[in-house]
């Protein structure tokens, strides 16, 4: 598909682990797939810019809603542990059954690492935005705070934008209208479009999460690229050292002057980095 023909994405669904995973797909379905997975407080739309860019370059860009988020299925059994997210990614890889690249931020990056590490035969690149097996637990407090602030919903989109800015370090949105796509209205209040069970305390950085990430890093044979936020509250220099000890193939780049949720809704700079690595590991 020519770049000029890439406008609105096509909505598709792919089987996850017992539920449907919904994605926006950009580009030619016959091209090498590049799958994007969002972080906390986000949806598949957060990666739209990067997915469009890789499609313009000749790839098939797919931005997925994680389980319990957006339009993807909610877990009937309430399983929102990291291993479940990883199984969804593994199912997506198997559905395409051809060489693929995985890209993820925060929770989406964790999911990509866990699921992708189990299918190194097909995964040509796992690229992570500021996430590692060993994380600074104090830094997770801001994310916990964001979920607590979201529990009771918001009176307006302005209030929701304030919460994103205060707790996740995202720039305060001047135009908040785009947030409406990521929210649902219940009893006159606005709630993020996710299953409330996903934010239960037992799912926010439990010991099993670290264990799953360490095992995945040891198991991974695919090329790994970590883009660390220079001002990250989550990934420290020691986190990077420990990650390298688990996965010697790890390459690390620094995103200067930004914090953990630096991909946000504007990720063209990240897309430039990604295209460089795709040319090396998943050439057209």
């Amino acid at each position: 598909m020519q770049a000029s023909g890439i406008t609105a994405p096509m909505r598709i669904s792919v089987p996850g682990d017992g539920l449907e995973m919904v994605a926006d797909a950009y580009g030619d379905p016959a091209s090498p797939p590049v799958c994007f997975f969002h972080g906390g407080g986000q949806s598949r739309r957060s990666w739209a810019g990067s997915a469009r860019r890789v499609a313009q370059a000749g790839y098939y860009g797919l931005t997925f809603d994680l389980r319990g988020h957006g339009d993807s299925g909610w877990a009937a059994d309430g399983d929102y542990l990291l291993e479940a997210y990883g199984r969804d990614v593994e199912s997506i890889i198997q559905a395409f059954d051809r060489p693929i690249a995985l890209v993820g931020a925060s929770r989406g990056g964790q999911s990509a690492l866990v699921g992708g590490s189990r299918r190194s035969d097909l995964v040509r690149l796992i690229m992570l935005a500021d996430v590692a097996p060993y994380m600074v637990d104090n830094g997770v407090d801001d994310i916990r705070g964001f979920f607590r602030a979201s529990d009771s919903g918001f009176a307006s989109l302005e209030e929701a934008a304030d919460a994103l800015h205060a707790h996740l370090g995202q720039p305060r949105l001047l135009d908040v209208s785009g947030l409406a796509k990521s929210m649902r209205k219940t009893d006159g209040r606005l709630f993020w479009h996710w299953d409330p069970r996903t934010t239960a305390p037992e799912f926010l950085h439990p010991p099993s999460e670290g264990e799953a990430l360490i095992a995945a890093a040891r198991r991974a044979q695919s090329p790994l690229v970590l883009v660390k936020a220079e001002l990250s509250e989550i990934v420290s220099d020691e986190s990077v050292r420990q990650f390298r000890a688990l996965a010697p193939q790890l390459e690390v780049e620094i995103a200067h002057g930004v914090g953990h949720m630096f991909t946000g809704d504007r990720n063209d700079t990240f897309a430039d980095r990604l295209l460089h690595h795709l040319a090396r590991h998943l050439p057209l």
Side-chain angles (χ1 to χ4, degrees):
M1 181 179 293
Q2 297 299 314
S4 60
I6 298 171
T7 53
M10 178 175 292
R11 173 173 158 158
I12 69 167
S13 64
V14 176
D17 183 49
L19 43 73
E20 289 297 304
M21 304 294 292
V22 170
D24 284 339
Y26 300 79
D28 184 352
S31 297
V34 180
C35 298
F36 296 85
F37 303 95
H38 62 81
Q42 297 181 320
S43 72
R44 70 184 188 272
R45 295 177 180 87
S46 67
W47 278 117
S50 284
R52 189 174 287 110
R53 286 285 303 283
V54 300
Q56 289 169 345
Y59 293 92
Y60 186 38
L62 302 111
T63 66
F64 282 89
D65 279 330
L66 297 177
R67 65 168 44 212
H69 291 71
D71 295 313
S72 287
W74 289 15
D77 59 0
D79 187 357
Y80 291 108
L81 289 171
L82 178 57
E83 282 284 358
Y85 290 99
R87 292 194 300 271
D88 291 333
V89 173
E90 187 177 5
S91 293
I92 290 168
I93 296 166
Q94 292 172 175
F96 284 101
D97 195 28
R98 65 184 196 262
I100 195 170
L102 308 176
V103 182
S106 195
R107 172 64 86 197
Q110 294 175 325
S111 307
L113 180 59
V114 172
S117 68
R118 296 196 175 108
R119 291 309 307 265
S120 294
D121 57 321
L122 292 175
V123 177
R124 297 293 184 266
L125 172 68
I126 301 174
M127 191 157 174
L128 308 174
D130 205 51
V131 69
Y134 296 93
M135 297 190 297
V136 180
D137 189 61
N138 290 343
V140 182
D141 288 343
D142 287 337
I143 298 174
R144 294 188 179 107
F146 169 69
F147 289 138
R148 284 195 299 270
S150 303
D151 283 345
S152 58
F154 304 96
S156 66
L157 294 177
E158 293 286 346
E159 279 192 11
D162 288 340
L164 286 170
H165 174 62
H167 297 285
L168 298 185
Q170 296 186 9
R172 178 57 167 84
L173 294 172
L174 298 178
D175 179 5
V176 301
S177 60
L179 292 179
K181 296 178 182 178
S182 299
M183 309 200 81
R184 54 188 170 83
K185 196 166 188 176
T186 303
D187 297 329
R189 301 282 290 176
L190 293 170
F191 294 84
W192 299 110
H193 197 172
W194 63 51
D195 184 343
R197 293 176 296 176
T198 64
T199 64
E202 62 264 31
F203 298 137
L204 299 180
H205 200 34
S208 64
E209 180 178 290
E211 293 165 4
L213 289 168
I214 291 167
R218 285 178 173 148
R219 184 170 57 234
Q221 298 177 28
S222 306
L224 291 172
V225 177
L226 166 64
V227 181
K228 180 191 178 303
E230 182 182 23
L231 307 179
S232 177
E233 323 84 64
I234 299 289
V235 179
S236 66
D237 291 340
E238 178 62 14
S239 301
V240 173
R241 187 194 68 76
Q242 292 173 315
F243 197 175
R244 279 193 169 121
L246 295 170
Q249 77 272 35
L250 180 70
E251 297 182 50
V252 180
E253 301 179 2
I254 304 298
H256 294 284
V258 294
H260 175 63
M261 296 300 286
F262 68 94
T263 52
D265 292 325
R266 297 184 155 202
N267 39 52
D268 286 354
T269 301
F270 189 93
D272 291 339
R273 296 174 184 266
L274 172 59
L275 285 169
H276 168 73
H277 292 286
L278 287 173
R280 294 172 57 201
H281 301 298
L282 188 64
L284 295 168

